[in-house]
Amino acid sequence: MRLLLVEDEARMADAVAGGLAADGFTVDIAHDGQDGLWRASERVYDVIVLDIMLPKLSGYEVVKRLRAAKVWTPILMLTAKDGEYDQADALDLGADDYLTKPFSYVVLLAHLRALVRRAAPARPVVLSAGDLILDPATRRVQRGADDEISLTPREFAMLQYLLRRRGEVVSKSDILANVWDEFYEGDPNIVEVYVGYLRKKIDTPFDRRSIETVRGAGYRLRSDGG
């Protein structure tokens, strides 16, 4: 899942982004409201975490302008302002949820998962393709009822993306944009490396071939799980 974090406190932004990245999110950071508004308007995110007290444009103004532009990405306000009128103003302007600082990271993560689920009611909470099952809430991946599979955070994020697009061909650039950092400038063949890692964990031990290479186009995770 791709997330935009708009937070002017650099140390807090880095700490939150680091935790979210470890939990499989691809995080873009903006340190002022103007940059946050531009990013949220120019690319598609699954969820936005937005401070209220920001340089250049306040979080209130960012929410107001995004909703006026018909950008309906779920927005979680993360702020030190905890007055009931502050919360009411944020929600009335179009925010979807509100969390005050200091906060529990576990609670933040639960709020984000709930926002993403509510934003896409047709999207199942647990993703599956045949007997291949991924549960974003518990971070569990398994084949069938008993065979649990251990994945690294990056492997988990890639599998989650492929499962959300199961049956579709996704290009290497699509995978890089949604699973790696937006500024990734390394070898794009890293995608092939991680596809290989996934195949060794979710396919080879079970004599399956769920991830197909579509020559010249990208990869496709079979809807039947291989």
Side-chain angles (χ1 to χ4, degrees):
M1 286 184 284
R2 181 170 286 278
L3 177 146
L4 174 63
L5 173 61
V6 189
E7 168 61 63
D8 63 322
E9 296 179 26
R11 291 170 64 181
M12 173 173 285
D14 289 343
V16 172
L20 291 171
D23 276 300
F25 286 84
T26 300
V27 183
D28 296 341
I29 300 175
H31 292 298
D32 62 69
Q34 186 172 299
D35 186 30
L37 176 63
W38 179 81
R39 289 171 181 266
S41 302
E42 290 297 313
R43 75 178 309 161
V44 177
Y45 291 95
D46 292 290
V47 65
I48 297 170
V49 177
L50 179 65
D51 195 5
I52 287 180
M53 304 299 291
L54 291 167
K56 298 185 180 179
L57 285 178
S58 72
Y60 291 136
E61 188 64 24
V62 173
V63 173
K64 182 179 178 181
R65 295 191 189 187
L66 285 175
R67 297 316 190 215
K70 301 189 185 303
V71 175
W72 306 116
T73 308
I75 297 174
L76 169 66
M77 306 300 285
L78 184 64
T79 177
K81 296 172 69 68
D82 61 357
E84 58 185 29
Y85 287 105
D86 296 316
Q87 297 182 39
D89 287 344
L91 295 171
D92 286 344
L93 285 170
D96 300 277
D97 201 357
Y98 197 105
L99 195 60
T100 57
K101 304 174 185 176
F103 58 90
S104 159
Y105 179 75
V106 173
V107 173
L108 170 63
L109 204 56
H111 276 254
L112 293 175
R113 288 196 298 260
L115 276 179
V116 172
R117 289 199 300 270
R118 291 204 300 268
R123 177 182 291 177
V125 174
V126 176
L127 303 173
S128 64
D131 67 348
L132 177 62
I133 301 167
L134 180 149
D135 187 340
T138 62
R139 310 288 299 172
R140 294 182 65 182
V141 175
Q142 59 193 77
R143 277 282 189 186
D146 302 316
D147 294 311
E148 189 165 346
I149 302 168
S150 177
L151 299 181
T152 67
R154 187 77 70 185
E155 291 166 352
F156 186 94
M158 178 180 279
L159 180 59
Q160 185 173 15
Y161 179 69
L162 291 174
L163 278 168
R164 292 201 187 283
R165 302 283 299 274
R166 62 191 178 277
E168 302 177 23
V169 177
V170 291
S171 68
K172 188 182 295 184
S173 60
D174 286 337
I175 295 173
L176 283 172
N178 286 277
V179 179
W180 271 260
D181 185 88
E182 66 170 330
F183 299 112
Y184 179 76
E185 296 180 350
D187 188 346
N189 288 327
I190 190 70
V191 173
E192 296 174 18
V193 173
Y194 271 84
V195 167
Y197 292 160
L198 278 180
R199 283 171 170 158
K200 288 179 181 178
K201 291 185 176 182
I202 68 173
D203 284 346
T204 302
F206 308 97
D207 194 26
R208 305 295 181 85
R209 293 184 178 179
S210 65
I211 303 177
E212 299 176 329
T213 299
V214 181
R215 190 177 297 276
Y219 300 94
R220 175 173 52 221
L221 192 144
R222 290 174 51 173
S223 297
D224 63 4

